[in-house]
Amino acid sequence: MARIDPDRAQIVIRLVYDGPAKAGKTTSLRRLAGSLGVDMFSAPEEDGRTLYFDWLDYVGGLYEGMPIRCQVLSAPGQQVLESRRRLLLESADAVVFVADSRPERAGENGRAYAALHEIAESHEVPIGIVIQANKRDLPDAVSLDELRDALGGGFSVAMTEAVADRGEGVRETFVLGVRLALDRVRALRSDGTLVALAPEFENGAQLLASMMTAESGHAIEWSAGASPARTGEGAGAALANDASSHPRPSDASIPPGLVWPPVQGRAVVHEAARDAIDLRGDESGSWNGVSTSGRWTMHSSSGAAFHDVEHGREALIAWARWHTAASSRLSSGRAIVLAPSGEGEWRLWQIVHASQTLRDHCRDVVHLAGPAAGEKLFDIFELYSQAFEALVSSGLVDDIALDTVAISEHGTPVYAGHCQWGAGAPPARSDGDGDASAKHRSIIERDLLAALRADLAATPEGLSDLLAGIEAAAERRGQLHVAQSLRQGLLNN
Amino acid sequence: MALEKEIVAAFERIQSEVPGFIAASLVDLDSGMTLAVKSARPDFDLAAASAFNSEIVKQKHKTIRALGLSSILEDILLTLSDQLHLIKMVGNSSFIYLAADRATTNLAIMRTSVLRHGSGLV
């Protein structure tokens, strides 16, 4: 974990290169060492496979006047060495995940990334992650989108392209990793958990000795006073609206303090900035944008413009608090950015990853056969009902639609749209009451019917199958009145 | 972002055009880390110079904000008794740092060369 070395007046950060075996971690470090002009320490290897780690130490750059000392390590990729890998990852401030671009490595990439993601998120201040898509020169390299999918929805993580064998993209990735680590340093500092202590290890040999001691059964103190959290078993360019007169939500170069959340927010902005953005203003003075890939949407309301950065920053902090309090009811992959509008003003932007919404699930319904279609439709019905209670009745948002409700990883409905600017403190989650349910039922049925009618227009032959599925599911769930409404609505189309 | 080797190639072109070339680097403003370097003098600590120059740029940005200006910082010229140092912003998040021998170089050539070869690096 990051610390201030009081003797040398340096900020010490640790970057760990992670990824599946033979993805190019050691090669990346070797190339980085060559590029930075430093030596690399390699703990014993076996047949060219890393058993412990590689290490390089580099002092460069400045953080608030203090030189930055980067301890850069690679973790072993073999699954049998998982405990060593975990120990190293727990101590990281940022991780460069070296992903293998070959299609046959998709599964290994996904498994390794899932474990890393769990560790990174388990910390109070999450560890920043940048994905280095490696081996991009191979003819069968998968696309970046496919690679991202293989990593299981790592949409809010920055991704760079590299050919580590040739050193291409390695240094750029490293510097982005340092930025993420410094974001974490700032967050630790504001939390009061950035400690002033000498580094726990001065070089790779010390770390190796310590790991060997630990594995021989003797406990080790990894970082007195600042132990790694939950050590576990082992211990584009600017978002590019081409019209120069338009405000822009900035890119990953946004200065620290102007993006929330501190670490993932920059990664979200970095990813969103990979696409061109179609930005449009409306009569009210608000701006809305959609990335060309459809992955990201952004919004800045008319009230979110400020004459100076300080007022903008105050609003950003208030807005960040609101989001933090409401986070369990909001979709993931969000960032709030304060960016210059190009007219001497500043604007707050919400950037939101396009989640799979209930509207998307509705589209699946007409392609399913019989009972499965009915079951899925009733699942959507129930989630939409819960969404009205959790999001609208509770006062979190004024209104929802099928395309602004997504399903969280816990299976609960979350708001996937842009939040209303100027909202006060988010109200506590409400379980709602029966009256509210009754009030919203007609809206729910109306929205569902509208969606189903639109989808059935393309495949009208699916209607009878869908009706049968609805009847079967309704009977099983004891919701015949809902089935009757839906049936009537579909037949009266 | 251009690749490191592309940036170095751009610096080599600058070196060939700028008499008295000492060193050049592309520097990440946030961290002060160098993204690419080219030096003609092994004794010139380019990493340290780049890092401290990032602080200069940050301070200048603060100055602009404190003055309530909506101006955009384009470049900074530092005149030493025997060297000229040119800092040229490249995008919002990085800058080119170029040092040359004052007795033999020419400021106009420095500026022109950096503009010609450096503006496409991000």
Side-chain angles (χ1 to χ4, degrees):
Chain A
M1 185 187 276
R3 58 186 55 206
I4 295 170
D5 181 347
D7 296 333
R8 297 189 181 95
Q10 291 175 335
I11 187 82
V12 184
I13 58 173
R14 183 171 290 178
L15 260 71
V16 176
Y17 279 62
D18 186 40
K22 294 188 172 177
K25 301 181 291 295
T26 296
T27 305
S28 295
L29 248 68
R30 195 172 289 131
R31 286 293 185 173
L32 182 62
S35 175
L36 297 174
V38 296
D39 294 327
M40 185 175 93
F41 170 89
S42 285
E45 296 180 345
E46 188 177 79
D47 298 331
R49 310 282 292 275
T50 301
L51 294 180
Y52 283 90
F53 58 86
D54 305 296
W55 166 294
L56 66 88
D57 210 323
Y58 176 69
V59 179
L62 286 177
Y63 169 80
E64 296 191 358
M66 284 181 288
I68 303 163
R69 179 179 179 186
C70 306
Q71 295 183 338
V72 188
L73 292 82
S74 67
Q78 299 176 68
Q79 288 192 340
V80 294
L81 303 173
E82 180 63 20
S83 61
R84 291 177 189 166
R85 173 194 179 215
R86 191 174 183 89
L87 186 70
L88 297 171
L89 289 175
E90 292 280 7
S91 70
D93 294 296
V95 173
V96 174
F97 183 84
V98 181
D100 194 323
S101 294
R102 289 176 293 175
E104 63 268 26
R105 303 299 304 279
E108 290 162 88
N109 284 332
R111 279 190 293 278
Y113 184 78
L116 164 63
H117 189 258
E118 183 189 335
I119 293 170
E121 291 295 317
S122 71
H123 288 252
E124 192 98 354
V125 178
I127 298 167
I129 302 174
V130 52
I131 298 168
Q132 177 180 302
N134 199 27
K135 306 184 183 179
R136 300 304 297 165
D137 59 329
L138 296 181
D140 60 343
V142 297
S143 71
L144 292 182
D145 282 346
E146 287 174 299
L147 186 57
R148 193 184 302 278
D149 289 343
L151 297 180
F155 48 79
S156 60
V157 177
M159 185 179 273
T160 62
E161 294 186 86
V163 182
D165 275 341
R166 301 202 294 250
E168 292 176 6
V170 172
R171 189 157 176 167
E172 299 91 311
T173 308
F174 164 70
V175 173
L176 182 55
V178 171
R179 274 192 190 168
L180 293 178
L182 292 180
D183 281 345
R184 187 163 192 261
V185 167
R186 291 182 187 98
L188 291 170
R189 193 168 195 179
S190 66
D191 279 3
T193 50
L194 183 66
V195 295
L197 276 175
E200 64 266 57
F201 304 110
E202 284 294 334
N203 51 51
Q206 283 184 9
L207 172 59
L208 179 62
S210 174
M211 288 178 78
M212 288 178 157
T213 303
E215 290 177 359
S216 67
H218 298 91
I220 53 169
E221 290 281 337
W222 260 57
S223 46
S227 58
R230 291 184 274 283
T231 48
E233 61 185 270
L239 285 184
N241 176 15
D242 290 335
S244 57
S245 61
H246 293 180
R248 297 176 181 188
S250 192
D251 56 22
S253 65
I254 190 103
L258 302 186
V259 58
W260 178 91
V263 179
Q264 295 103 322
R266 187 185 297 279
V268 164
V269 176
H270 179 274
E271 283 309 292
R274 296 172 72 91
D275 293 335
I277 304 294
D278 180 20
L279 267 183
R280 296 176 190 279
D282 63 22
E283 290 176 355
S284 71
S286 297
W287 288 87
N288 291 287
V290 182
S291 69
T292 49
S293 69
R295 286 178 177 277
W296 302 94
T297 62
M298 48 212 64
H299 172 74
S300 177
S301 70
S302 56
F306 305 92
H307 289 301
D308 59 66
V309 67
E310 292 310 321
H311 285 93
R313 203 193 301 266
E314 283 175 21
L316 170 66
I317 292 168
W319 201 216
R321 285 180 179 147
W322 189 93
H323 272 73
T324 302
S327 61
S328 65
R329 286 174 281 172
L330 299 176
S331 59
S332 57
R334 288 170 177 267
I336 308 169
V337 182
L338 182 64
S341 70
E343 299 163 351
E345 290 192 335
W346 294 76
R347 268 188 176 272
L348 266 184
W349 291 85
Q350 295 178 60
I351 302 178
V352 178
H353 180 257
S355 307
Q356 190 176 26
T357 64
L358 294 187
R359 182 67 187 89
D360 299 315
H361 288 285
C362 263
R363 288 190 187 93
D364 296 340
V365 167
V366 296
H367 299 295
L368 292 172
E375 292 294 340
K376 182 151 183 117
L377 185 59
F378 273 95
D379 285 345
I380 295 169
F381 183 92
E382 285 172 12
L383 281 164
Y384 202 28
S385 303
Q386 291 169 19
F388 269 98
E389 300 303 318
L391 307 176
V392 180
S393 298
S394 72
L396 186 77
V397 294
D398 287 342
D399 198 11
I400 56 173
L402 284 167
D403 60 2
T404 57
V405 177
I407 306 172
S408 76
E409 59 184 13
H410 306 297
T412 55
V414 288
Y415 186 63
H418 295 282
C419 297
Q420 185 182 341
W421 169 252
R429 181 183 284 275
S430 162
D431 292 332
D433 53 45
D435 290 343
S437 294
K439 191 170 65 184
H440 292 133
R441 175 158 295 161
S442 62
I443 303 173
I444 295 167
E445 289 177 1
R446 181 199 66 195
D447 289 356
L448 277 176
L449 283 170
L452 290 172
R453 282 174 189 144
D455 297 336
L456 283 168
T459 53
E461 67 278 7
L463 176 60
S464 58
D465 206 23
L466 176 60
L467 289 173
I470 290 173
E471 295 294 339
E475 195 163 329
R476 201 181 66 74
R477 296 179 183 228
Q479 299 214 28
L480 295 173
H481 56 294
V482 176
Q484 190 178 8
S485 299
L486 292 174
R487 183 185 173 84
Q488 281 179 355
L490 289 170
L491 288 174
N492 292 339
N493 185 20
Chain B
M1 171 66 71
L3 295 172
E4 184 184 1
K5 69 176 183 183
E6 294 168 344
I7 302 168
V8 172
F11 289 161
E12 286 170 348
R13 290 193 289 275
I14 291 172
Q15 182 178 16
S16 69
E17 290 178 358
V18 175
F21 175 96
I22 296 174
S25 59
L26 181 67
V27 187
D28 174 58
L29 179 57
D30 186 31
S31 63
M33 291 276 176
T34 52
L35 289 151
V37 295
K38 179 69 187 174
S39 178
R41 284 195 197 168
D43 60 333
F44 191 86
D45 191 344
L46 188 51
S50 300
F52 283 102
N53 279 315
S54 72
E55 293 292 292
I56 291 176
V57 175
K58 286 179 195 166
Q59 291 300 325
K60 196 62 205 173
H61 278 151
K62 282 184 187 172
T63 307
I64 291 170
R65 285 200 296 271
L67 294 174
L69 302 175
S70 56
S71 313
I72 294 169
L73 177 62
E74 292 186 357
D75 65 28
I76 299 173
L77 174 66
L78 300 163
T79 307
L80 281 58
S81 59
D82 57 345
Q83 294 178 6
L84 290 179
H85 293 186
L86 178 64
I87 294 168
K88 169 71 179 169
M89 297 303 299
V90 182
N92 294 324
S93 63
S94 55
F95 62 88
I96 290 174
Y97 168 59
L98 171 62
D101 181 64
R102 186 177 172 184
T104 52
T105 198
N106 176 302
L107 177 59
I109 293 175
M110 287 176 74
R111 274 208 167 106
T112 304
S113 184
V114 168
L115 192 64
R116 181 183 297 140
H117 302 297
S119 53
L121 294 182
V122 292

